[in-house]
Amino acid sequence: MARARTTRFVSGARWGAAVLACAGAVCLPLCAGAATASDADGPDSPFWAEPVNRPAKQAQIWQERGREEEAQAVRRIAVQPTAVWMTGDDPEEQAGRVVEEAERAGRIPLLVAYDIPHRDCGQYSSGGAPTAAAYREWVARAAAGIGERRAWVVLEPDAVAQWASGCLQADAKAERLGLLAEAVRTFKARRGTSVYVDAGNAGWISDQRLLAGALQQAGIAKADGFALNVSNFHTTSVTRAYGGRLSDLLGGAHYIIDTSRNGNGPLPPAPPGSGDESWCNPPGRALGTPPTTATGDPRVDAFVWVKRPGESDGSCRGAPQAGRWWSEYALGLATASPAPTQ
């Protein structure tokens, strides 16, 4: 299993390195004087940066208002390759647009499939497909949009970890892992698609044998690996230690790490009963390592930005709803100094 996954990844990395030489800079036309994605992302990064995005628009607004330092700071986010979360009842058009634009740029897009029934156990990002049948159709439409073009898909953030945490009702729990396994097969039927099943974060599921068993039922053997730290803040070193142990339980499975906001690690846990959610828009955090495939670990396929810094985790600490842009939080992330070691 590990050998097959390594072969696919090396081929993709070589492909990315080849196209980088001829792709040229990906410019942000909304921001005068902005850096290019090739200047800003990590070394050996084959990933696509959406040229028109919310941070870029925010930078333009601030520049027009004379807030040049703030505009320059938020451009640090705008130029980075960041995942596109597939939304709406029919993701085919969105997925198709993204992969087509990325292909023209000679880069690989990172997509997030996020529509599992009973999503987020009714919390800030609740929703998802109304039935299992609707979810199967949604996944089929997303895969059709990707077609045979190159893409990496992060499959259903939190879905497996929430299954393991016990927050799902019995009927939802009974169907979830099977639905994920079907989704893996549907996406992997597209020859250019790599799939990473989300596995939560280092501070969530302590019983890694339980988590590994859930991932196996969710189709990890047919996927390219698992994803860790999506939308969270755990440092890269802590995440690698956790991921290494989980990988061992899965026969050497590869994985990717979301480093978008982990430059200062997580906020310390709040006292029990305080009602303070330390994972939700914590203050004082910083940007992490830019997206790259140069991870220094043969089992870590890439550091990626799955969560776009500046998009809210949920309506806590005076923030807007989950997924909405919060300019002042983005500015805090972009101007904070990361810890010397991550």
Side-chain angles (χ1 to χ4, degrees):
M1 181 177 69
R3 179 177 298 175
R5 220 183 338 260
T6 302
T7 300
R8 288 199 298 272
F9 170 69
V10 171
S11 298
R14 289 174 180 167
W15 178 88
V19 299
L20 283 176
C22 60
V26 180
C27 298
L28 294 176
L30 292 174
C31 305
T36 65
S38 58
D39 291 334
D41 56 16
D44 300 321
S45 173
F47 302 112
W48 176 71
E50 195 171 17
V52 179
N53 55 54
R54 194 63 189 86
K57 294 176 182 178
Q58 187 66 62
Q60 181 185 29
I61 291 170
W62 278 344
Q63 183 161 337
E64 290 172 350
R65 294 177 180 176
R67 298 175 61 177
E68 294 187 3
E69 289 187 7
E70 290 94 336
Q72 187 62 31
V74 82
R75 287 186 189 119
R76 294 182 60 202
I77 298 172
V79 298
Q80 294 298 343
T82 308
V84 175
W85 293 59
M86 291 185 283
T87 58
D89 295 333
D90 186 353
E92 182 173 3
E93 181 178 353
Q94 182 189 26
R97 174 187 59 80
V98 168
V99 296
E100 286 176 9
E101 291 186 19
E103 185 177 59
R104 286 197 297 269
R107 295 274 179 137
I108 302 173
L110 183 64
L111 294 164
V112 181
Y114 194 52
D115 199 51
I116 196 79
H118 309 282
R119 189 178 66 201
D120 203 27
C121 288
Q123 299 185 70
Y124 291 127
S125 297
S126 61
T131 65
Y135 182 66
R136 293 185 185 99
E137 177 62 21
W138 188 92
V139 170
R141 300 287 287 180
I146 294 171
E148 303 305 319
R149 300 179 182 88
R150 192 78 176 95
W152 285 24
V153 175
V154 175
L155 184 61
E156 297 298 342
D158 299 343
V160 173
Q162 286 180 337
W163 180 94
S165 74
C167 70
L168 292 169
Q169 297 295 325
D171 56 343
K173 185 171 185 177
E175 73 180 9
R176 173 156 294 187
L177 300 182
L179 282 178
L180 291 172
E182 290 181 39
V184 170
R185 291 194 294 269
T186 299
F187 282 118
K188 286 304 297 179
R190 303 291 174 167
R191 63 182 180 183
T193 303
S194 298
V195 179
Y196 293 87
V197 182
D198 187 74
N201 62 72
W204 195 344
I205 305 300
S206 58
D207 186 347
Q208 288 190 297
R209 291 191 179 277
L210 174 66
L211 183 59
L215 287 166
Q216 288 169 336
Q217 292 182 64
I220 191 72
K222 295 185 180 299
D224 293 84
F226 58 91
L228 288 175
N229 207 46
V230 169
S231 299
N232 216 281
F233 303 85
H234 291 279
T235 63
T236 301
S237 59
V238 167
T239 302
R240 287 170 75 154
Y242 182 89
R245 293 191 296 271
L246 184 57
S247 174
D248 288 342
L249 293 171
L250 293 167
H254 286 209
Y255 60 103
I256 59 176
I257 299 173
D258 184 354
T259 58
S260 57
R261 306 182 300 175
N262 73 344
N264 275 336
L267 197 68
S274 68
D276 190 14
E277 298 164 307
S278 59
W279 59 267
C280 188
N281 303 310
R285 305 307 95 193
L287 301 177
T289 302
T292 180
T293 55
T295 66
D297 187 323
R299 286 191 287 183
V300 181
D301 287 351
F303 300 143
V304 290
W305 283 19
V306 183
K307 175 77 172 183
R308 189 185 301 278
E311 291 182 354
S312 175
D313 294 318
S315 51
C316 61
R317 306 181 198 275
Q321 293 180 347
R324 299 287 182 87
W325 176 252
W326 189 10
S327 59
E328 294 307 317
Y329 194 73
L331 183 61
L333 289 167
T335 55
S337 298
T341 58
Q342 297 181 39

